[in-house]
């Protein structure tokens, strides 16, 4: 028969109780009898037999008791062989015999007794633990916990046991396992609150799940008269905390004997019971988490599909907020997007009363920290968070998440502890989708913009024209004026002042075009210095006014070293069947007519301005161009130059160092002997710059070769090409001698003048090396 009692029942037949005085017998009930025949019950776990075993009735009685062989101890010799056979017949195959009169046998008997008790109790304990575990599998709630605790206390006699569970901050359930004691107390509620607060405080401050309080500690906490005032000095109040994921769930309180029960069955049983609660909580939480997570993931998938279809950043943000609200409870939100170095609030739920405005990226705070570190920040008590700066005293919790590289999202709740780490994880999934979609939209927009716009001016380019050509050709809003413009002298400007200055000039033109045209007009950079305008609904007279307005705006520009000038031709589409290609061609013809008239004027003006700047360089160096020109013309007279040749020589003298305007002024004021390697690198390029400027203008193209050669020497040691002899243009050879004489005679800012004879002697010495020998002879005659 299965023993249902939770204590171990031991029957001793004709055995003195003094034999067991040295053996600890927790949860053990010892029964003593003179004869097995006298017993009225047969529910025993262990039989200890010291009796003459000599009749069939005793064997029959033993058989009815159904005791396992390992649990039978004979402390006297079995007298008859047939009795041993009878024992085997009733299932007792392993029995023991001792003579208690002998000391060794007594010791062996006691060791075996303790061993059998331990094995038997372990078996019973395992059975009990399994029953508790099975009960939790079928039903787990506060009522089930209370029932199990009450049964355990009743069956195992746990003294002063109690359990405390938390439903909410203001609603506590105190489960009394000794109802008569606590129900009679008028201070029960006060005790419940005190015990709960103590337990919660301990649970939050200790890393252990168990706390032991001795008598002095209990009195220190509860005072002299408390519900545990009968706890002996060697007893301890043991508290098993029930914690789940660092949060307080409850506690079980019971008394243990410090000396004898620290590892007892009861202690182990209640420890196991506490563990089972935690395990079940974990399983239940994980199940709910998986269930909720699965539904949220499905929702997130649907949300992601919606967000992907957003047509604008604002629509994507609104769809994202709707998605977050479906998985997260909050009272307010903000989407702050970075524009330049400022956070701009693009969407929020605040209608008034709270100061939500744009703020700088350099402003200290959680928002800027999250954006820069790209790590989320969760604050479940913003009023006491040193890093938070809440704009309202009503705010309890807030989570701040980065939206990729574009901004932040913030959710705010009036409740403390409103958000969990899981909430942050799920919200991050939505936010990352929002960030990815917006960044993709921006990238696509940027790629599209770069594909259709000129990178320098920001105007539309020829790629746009190619793609939209047919659409423009089918414009229904007629008339439509077409203007083609070409900047005058851009090549000269680039050569004289460099391409960076040319780029600045182009940007200036694009600003003027945008200011003089409407937003609906199409302005295209058609080529390097050409611009094409499509003006829907504009008549020819209106187009002429636009051209005039552009020209006047060009004249107003004063912050550039040269005037802005552009030739513009107009063509108008009045009929649907007129082709855009024809209109562009007509506008081009008109533009070239103007360029042939006004372009020459513009180029002459540019050359005039450049000459003035070259003169400024010469004057700064102390050069006397008039004297050089006088000496050179005297040599030309000796060489029988025609009038045209003399005019060309004069033009060359005026412009031969035009390339120096591109050089640093400090280099111009140095002697060549003091040039650094970097100075030489710049100086060697200025003849080439001057040549390019002259080549770009019809008025100066015939002296371009002379300008390129004005630093060449007769023996080929000059620069930039190192040509020699008569390969050097004649004008360059003439002026080099005249300029050398003028330099020595009049001096420079870096050179003192010398007398006529000395400088002439120097020229003669360099005849055949620096100068043309024949020209040196002629020069000696004229001076």
């Amino acid at each position: 028969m299965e023993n249902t009692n939770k204590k171990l029942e031991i029957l001793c037949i004709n055995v003195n109780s003094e034999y067991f005085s040295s053996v600890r017998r927790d949860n053990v009930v010892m029964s003593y009898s003179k004869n097995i025949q006298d017993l009225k019950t047969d529910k025993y776990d262990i039989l200890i037999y010291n009796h003459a075993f000599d009749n069939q009735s005793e064997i029959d009685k033993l058989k009815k008791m159904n005791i396992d062989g390992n649990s039978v101890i004979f402390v006297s010799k079995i007298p008859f062989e047939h009795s041993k056979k009878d024992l085997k017949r009733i299932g007792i195959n392993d029995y023991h015999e001792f003579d208690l009169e002998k000391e060794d046998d007594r010791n062996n008997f006691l060791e075996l007794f303790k061993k059998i008790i331990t094995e038997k109790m372990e078996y019973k304990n395992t059975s009990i633990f399994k029953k508790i575990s099975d009960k939790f599998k079928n039903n787990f709630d506060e009522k089930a916990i209370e029932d199990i605790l009450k049964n355990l206390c009743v069956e195992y006699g746990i003294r002063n046991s109690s359990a405390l569970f938390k439903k909410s901050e203001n609603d506590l359930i105190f489960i009394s396992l000794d109802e008569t004691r606590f129900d009679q107390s008028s201070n029960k509620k006060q005790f419940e609150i005190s015990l709960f607060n103590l337990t919660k405080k301990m649970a939050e401050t200790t890393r252990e799940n168990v706390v032991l309080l001795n008598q002095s500690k209990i009195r220190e906490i509860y005072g002299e008269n408390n519900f545990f005032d009968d706890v002996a000095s060697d007893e301890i109040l043991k508290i098993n905390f029930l914690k789940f994921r660092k949060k307080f769930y409850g506690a079980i309180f019971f008394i243990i004997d410090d000396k004898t029960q620290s590892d007892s069955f009861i202690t182990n049983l209640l420890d196991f019971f506490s563990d089972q609660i935690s395990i079940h909580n974990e399983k239940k939480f994980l199940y709910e988490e998986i269930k909720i997570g699965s539904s949220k993931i499905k929702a997130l998938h649907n949300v992601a599909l919606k967000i992907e279809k957003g047509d604008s950043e604002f629509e994507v943000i609104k769809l994202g907020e709707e998605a977050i609200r479906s998985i997260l409870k909050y009272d307010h939100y903000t989407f702050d997007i970075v524009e330049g170095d400022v956070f701009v609030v693009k969407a929020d739920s605040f209608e008034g009363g709270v100061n939500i405005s744009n703020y700088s990226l350099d402003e200290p705070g959680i928002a800027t920290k999250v954006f820069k570190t790209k790590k989320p920040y969760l604050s479940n008590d913003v009023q006491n968070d040193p890093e938070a700066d809440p704009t309202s005293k009503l705010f309890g919790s807030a989570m701040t998440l980065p939206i990729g590289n574009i901004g932040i999202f913030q959710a705010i709740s009036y409740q403390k502890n409103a958000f969990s780490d899981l909430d942050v994880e799920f919200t991050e999934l939505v936010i990352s989708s929002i960030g990815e979609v917006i960044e993709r939209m921006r990238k696509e927009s940027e790629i599209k913009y770069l594909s259709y716009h000129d990178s320098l001016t920001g105007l539309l380019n020829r790629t746009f024209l190619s793609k939209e050509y047919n659409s423009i050709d089918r414009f229904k809003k007629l008339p439509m004026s077409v203007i083609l413009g070409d900047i005058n002298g851009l090549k000269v400007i680039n050569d004289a002042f460099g391409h960076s200055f040319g780029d600045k000039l182009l940007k200036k033109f694009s600003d003027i075009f945008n200011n003089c045209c409407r937003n609906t007009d199409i302005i295209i950079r058609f080529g390097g210095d050409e611009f094409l305008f499509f003006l829907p609904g504009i008549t020819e007279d209106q187009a002429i006014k636009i051209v005039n307005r552009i020209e006047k705006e060009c004249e107003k520009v004063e912050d550039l070293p040269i005037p802005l000038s552009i030739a513009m031709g107009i063509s108008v589409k009045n009929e649907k069947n007129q082709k855009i290609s024809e209109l562009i061609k007509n506008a081009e013809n008109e533009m070239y007519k103007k360029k042939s008239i006004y372009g020459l004027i513009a180029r002459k003006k540019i050359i005039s301005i450049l000459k003035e700047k070259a003169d400024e360089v010469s004057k700064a160096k102390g050069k006397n161009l008039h004297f050089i020109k006088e000496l050179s013309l005297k040599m030309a007279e000796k060489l029988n130059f025609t009038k045209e040749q003399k005019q060309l020589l004069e033009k060359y003298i005026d412009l031969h160092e035009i390339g120096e305007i591109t050089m640093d002024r400090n280099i111009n004021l140095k002697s060549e002997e003091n040039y650094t390697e970097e100075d030489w690198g710049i100086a060697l390029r200025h003849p080439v710059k001057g040549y390019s400027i002259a080549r770009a203008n019809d008025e100066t193209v015939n002296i371009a070769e002379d300008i390129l050669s004005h630093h060449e020497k007769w023996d080929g040691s000059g620069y930039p090409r190192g040509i020699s002899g008569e390969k050097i243009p004649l004008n360059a050879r003439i002026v080099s001698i005249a300029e050398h004489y003028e330099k020595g005679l009049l001096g420079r800012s870096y050179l003192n003048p010398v007398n006529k004879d000395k400088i002439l002697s120097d020229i003669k010495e360099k005849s055949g090396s620096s100068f043309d020998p024949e020209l040196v002879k002629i020069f000696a005659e004229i001076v």
Side-chain angles (χ1 to χ4, degrees):
M1 181 181 300
E2 182 182 359
N3 192 337
T4 58
N5 198 319
K6 299 299 183 292
K7 296 182 180 294
L8 203 63
E9 298 283 348
I10 301 176
L11 173 62
C12 299
I13 303 296
N14 202 23
V15 178
N16 196 324
S17 61
E18 67 182 17
Y19 287 117
F20 307 102
S21 60
S22 63
V23 180
R24 178 178 172 177
R25 291 168 285 165
D26 295 337
N27 301 306
V28 173
V29 176
M30 303 290 293
S31 299
Y32 300 91
S33 178
K34 291 293 183 181
N35 193 299
I36 196 170
Q37 300 285 12
D38 298 336
L39 296 178
K40 296 181 180 180
T41 179
D42 53 10
K43 296 179 180 179
Y44 295 101
D45 299 294
I46 300 174
L47 174 65
I48 302 175
Y49 200 91
N50 184 21
H51 189 71
F53 192 40
D54 56 2
N55 60 66
Q56 188 63 40
S57 61
E58 289 183 352
I59 293 176
D60 292 341
K61 183 69 174 178
L62 187 63
K63 180 180 179 182
K64 289 180 180 180
M65 293 180 70
N66 195 26
I67 297 178
D68 181 70
N70 288 325
S71 302
V72 178
I73 303 174
F74 289 98
V75 293
S76 61
K77 297 293 182 179
I78 299 175
F80 304 108
E81 188 65 28
H82 74 272
S83 296
K84 294 181 180 181
K85 293 178 180 179
D86 288 337
L87 289 175
K88 290 181 180 180
R89 178 171 54 82
I90 64 174
I92 302 176
N93 298 311
D94 186 11
Y95 49 85
H96 312 275
E97 297 176 297
F98 297 97
D99 185 354
L100 297 183
E101 298 299 324
K102 297 178 181 180
E103 184 177 357
D104 288 345
D105 269 17
R106 283 200 306 275
N107 291 336
N108 292 336
F109 158 69
L110 291 175
E111 287 299 320
L112 178 63
F113 174 67
K114 287 187 284 186
K115 180 175 180 292
I116 291 176
I117 287 178
T118 301
E119 291 175 351
K120 214 49 166 167
M121 189 59 75
E122 284 179 354
Y123 173 78
K124 292 172 74 68
N125 290 354
T126 303
S127 176
I128 293 169
F129 293 160
K130 186 176 184 303
K131 287 179 181 178
I132 291 174
S133 181
D134 289 343
K135 187 162 187 177
F136 276 136
K137 286 180 182 177
N138 298 326
N139 182 25
F140 180 84
D141 53 26
E142 290 182 358
K143 184 65 170 62
I145 295 171
E146 182 180 357
D147 290 343
I148 293 174
L149 281 173
K150 283 184 177 179
N151 290 334
L152 289 174
C153 291
V154 170
E155 293 175 4
Y156 293 102
I158 302 172
R159 287 196 300 121
N160 296 338
S161 300
S162 56
L164 180 67
F165 296 93
K166 185 183 79 169
K167 272 189 175 179
S168 69
E169 292 288 338
N170 301 313
D171 184 12
L172 308 178
I173 296 179
F174 182 72
I175 304 173
S176 170
L177 303 178
D178 186 357
E179 294 180 2
T180 56
R181 178 181 179 81
F182 290 113
D183 286 347
Q184 292 171 359
S185 171
S186 60
N187 296 323
K188 176 181 176 182
K189 184 174 182 181
Q190 182 180 355
F191 171 74
E192 292 175 15
I193 296 172
S194 175
L195 191 60
F196 170 73
N197 289 335
L198 167 71
T199 305
K200 184 180 179 184
K201 184 177 180 181
M202 288 181 174
E204 290 173 344
T205 57
T206 181
R207 292 184 178 181
E208 303 296 330
N209 289 328
V210 175
V211 168
L212 303 176
L213 300 178
N214 58 23
Q215 187 185 69
S216 61
K217 190 67 176 177
I218 293 172
R219 287 177 179 172
E220 178 185 328
I221 297 170
Y222 296 111
E224 291 295 330
N225 298 316
N226 59 72
F227 293 102
F228 301 107
D229 56 1
D230 59 346
V231 174
S233 59
D234 60 347
E235 289 181 328
I236 289 178
L237 171 62
K238 183 175 182 181
I239 306 173
N240 277 15
F241 293 126
L242 308 180
K243 289 194 290 187
F244 174 60
R245 300 207 169 195
K246 298 181 181 180
K247 292 185 179 180
F248 178 81
Y249 180 81
I252 299 173
F253 302 80
F254 54 97
I255 304 297
I256 63 171
D257 186 322
D258 185 29
K259 294 179 180 179
T260 62
Q261 293 183 345
S262 58
D263 295 319
S264 69
F265 165 69
I266 295 301
T267 302
N268 293 336
L269 181 61
L270 289 173
D271 288 346
F272 172 78
F273 177 74
S274 301
D275 291 341
Q276 285 295 303
I277 293 174
S278 297
I279 290 170
H280 188 88
N281 265 335
E282 181 70 22
K283 287 181 178 178
K284 185 177 180 181
F285 176 84
L286 290 175
Y287 173 76
E288 292 298 325
E289 191 177 59
I290 291 170
K291 185 178 177 182
I292 294 170
S294 178
S295 63
K296 286 186 176 181
I297 288 171
K298 289 179 181 178
L300 287 175
H301 176 70
N302 294 331
V303 165
L305 294 177
K306 285 184 179 179
I307 292 175
E308 286 284 339
K309 297 177 180 179
D311 293 329
S312 65
E313 289 189 16
F314 181 75
E315 186 177 356
V316 168
I317 287 173
K318 294 302 291 182
L319 287 170
E321 194 277 327
E322 291 174 12
I324 296 170
R325 193 171 287 279
S326 69
I327 62 173
L328 190 69
K329 292 182 179 179
Y330 52 87
D331 295 295
H332 292 292
Y333 75 91
T334 66
F335 277 92
D336 304 345
I337 305 302
V338 174
E339 292 184 0
D341 57 356
V342 174
F343 277 111
V344 178
V345 181
K346 290 293 186 179
D348 67 84
S349 57
F350 296 100
E351 295 180 357
V354 178
N355 181 22
I356 301 294
S357 58
N358 302 341
Y359 51 99
S360 169
L361 274 173
D362 296 326
E363 188 175 317
I366 292 174
T368 51
K369 177 182 177 181
V370 167
F371 179 73
K372 291 175 181 178
T373 62
K374 300 297 182 287
K375 294 180 179 179
Y377 188 91
L378 175 61
S379 178
N380 272 318
D381 186 1
V382 295
Q383 301 298 330
N384 295 311
D385 187 338
E387 291 197 56
D389 185 19
T391 53
S392 171
K393 293 182 179 180
L394 297 175
F395 296 165
S397 305
M399 69 160 71
T400 308
L401 306 176
I403 312 175
N405 295 312
I406 64 173
I408 61 142
F409 165 79
Q410 192 169 60
I412 302 167
S413 172
Y414 292 140
Q415 302 296 321
K416 292 182 181 179
N417 302 310
F419 307 125
S420 66
D421 292 337
L422 188 62
D423 291 332
V424 174
E425 290 176 14
F426 275 110
T427 308
E428 275 188 297
L429 292 175
V430 180
I431 291 299
S432 65
S433 295
I434 294 172
E436 287 173 4
V437 171
I438 290 178
E439 286 186 345
R440 191 191 70 236
M441 290 172 73
R442 289 184 174 184
K443 197 67 178 177
E444 289 173 352
S445 177
E446 181 182 355
I447 292 171
K448 185 176 180 180
Y449 181 87
L450 293 174
S451 299
Y452 293 155
H453 288 77
D454 174 51
S455 59
L456 176 63
T457 63
L459 300 176
L460 295 166
N461 57 21
R462 293 193 74 148
T463 303
F464 170 83
L465 180 62
S466 298
K467 184 173 180 60
E468 301 297 330
Y469 190 88
N470 291 331
S471 299
I472 296 172
D473 206 15
R474 291 194 296 267
F475 270 174
K476 295 180 180 179
K477 193 172 183 179
L478 300 178
M480 180 177 70
S481 291
V482 177
I483 300 174
L484 184 64
D486 187 288
I487 297 174
N488 292 316
L490 182 60
K491 188 174 189 319
V492 177
I493 293 167
N494 282 333
D495 290 332
F497 299 101
H499 285 275
S500 59
F501 179 80
D503 290 345
K504 182 179 178 181
L505 186 139
L506 287 167
K507 290 178 183 177
K508 200 73 175 179
F509 270 112
S510 67
D511 291 340
I512 291 172
F513 297 155
N514 284 321
N515 290 334
C516 293
C517 296
R518 303 165 301 175
N519 293 334
T520 54
D521 295 334
I522 298 172
I523 309 172
I524 299 170
R525 187 178 179 189
F526 197 54
D529 52 3
E530 290 183 334
F531 298 87
L532 183 61
F533 300 71
F534 293 100
L535 313 175
I538 296 296
T539 64
E540 184 174 5
D541 290 341
Q542 290 172 323
I544 292 171
K545 289 180 181 180
I546 292 172
V547 168
N548 292 336
R549 187 158 61 240
I550 290 173
E551 291 174 346
K552 287 180 180 179
E553 289 299 316
C554 289
E555 291 173 2
K556 291 179 182 178
V557 176
E558 296 179 349
D559 59 344
L560 296 176
I562 60 168
L564 298 183
S565 175
I566 184 170
M568 308 187 80
I570 301 172
S571 179
V572 181
K573 180 176 181 177
N574 293 304
E575 304 293 337
K576 291 182 180 180
N577 57 357
Q578 289 179 274
K579 296 295 182 183
I580 290 294
S581 58
E582 294 176 6
L583 293 167
I584 294 174
K585 187 66 177 175
N586 293 337
E588 185 178 33
N589 292 335
E590 288 295 318
M591 180 266 291
Y592 278 121
K593 286 179 184 178
K594 286 188 177 181
K595 200 169 185 67
S596 64
I597 301 171
Y598 302 109
L600 179 60
I601 297 172
R603 289 194 296 274
K604 283 184 176 182
K605 193 169 186 178
I606 292 171
I607 290 297
S608 176
I609 292 171
L610 295 177
K611 181 182 178 300
E612 289 175 7
K613 292 187 174 298
D615 286 344
E616 290 175 6
V617 174
S618 296
K619 288 177 182 178
K621 294 167 68 173
K623 184 182 291 189
N624 189 329
L625 287 179
H626 179 73
F627 185 46
I628 294 171
K629 191 180 293 185
E630 183 181 342
L631 293 171
S632 298
L633 288 172
K634 285 181 179 180
M635 293 176 69
E637 189 69 33
K638 288 282 187 180
L639 294 169
N640 298 316
F641 270 31
T642 65
K643 182 180 179 181
E644 289 76 15
Q645 287 176 313
K646 289 178 182 179
Q647 290 174 344
L648 200 60
L649 177 60
E650 288 186 76
K651 185 187 292 186
Y652 165 66
I653 294 170
D654 288 335
L655 296 171
H656 75 288
E657 287 194 332
I658 196 170
E660 288 195 18
I661 66 173
T662 66
M663 292 171 58
D664 189 296
R665 178 62 60 88
N666 292 326
I667 299 175
N668 285 326
L669 298 178
K670 287 183 181 180
S671 68
E672 292 184 355
E673 289 79 10
N674 294 325
Y675 277 5
T676 64
E677 186 175 345
E678 184 180 356
D679 292 342
W680 272 113
I682 296 171
L684 290 172
R685 290 196 296 272
H686 86 268
V688 179
K689 289 285 187 180
Y691 171 78
S692 298
I693 294 170
R695 287 276 298 176
N697 196 299
D698 293 340
E699 294 293 308
T700 55
V701 68
N702 52 0
I703 60 170
E705 190 74 20
D706 298 350
I707 292 173
L708 179 63
S709 308
H710 76 277
H711 277 290
E712 300 289 358
K713 294 182 179 180
W714 183 260
D715 63 1
S717 62
Y719 63 87
R721 293 180 292 173
I723 58 177
S724 62
E726 293 184 357
K727 291 180 181 178
I728 303 171
L730 180 57
N731 285 345
R733 284 181 275 153
I734 292 172
V735 174
S736 67
I737 297 172
E739 189 170 15
H740 188 78
Y741 183 81
E742 178 270 341
K743 178 179 178 182
L745 189 66
L746 302 180
R748 292 284 187 269
S749 58
Y750 53 83
L751 181 68
N752 293 325
V754 297
N755 61 49
K756 173 182 175 181
D757 293 336
K758 188 173 181 179
I759 190 62
L760 185 58
S761 175
D762 182 58
I763 290 173
K764 288 179 180 180
E765 286 180 10
K766 293 179 179 178
S767 175
S769 58
S770 295
F771 308 120
D772 182 343
E774 294 299 323
L775 292 179
V776 171
K777 292 176 184 179
I778 295 172
F779 184 75
E781 293 175 3
I782 66 171
V783 296

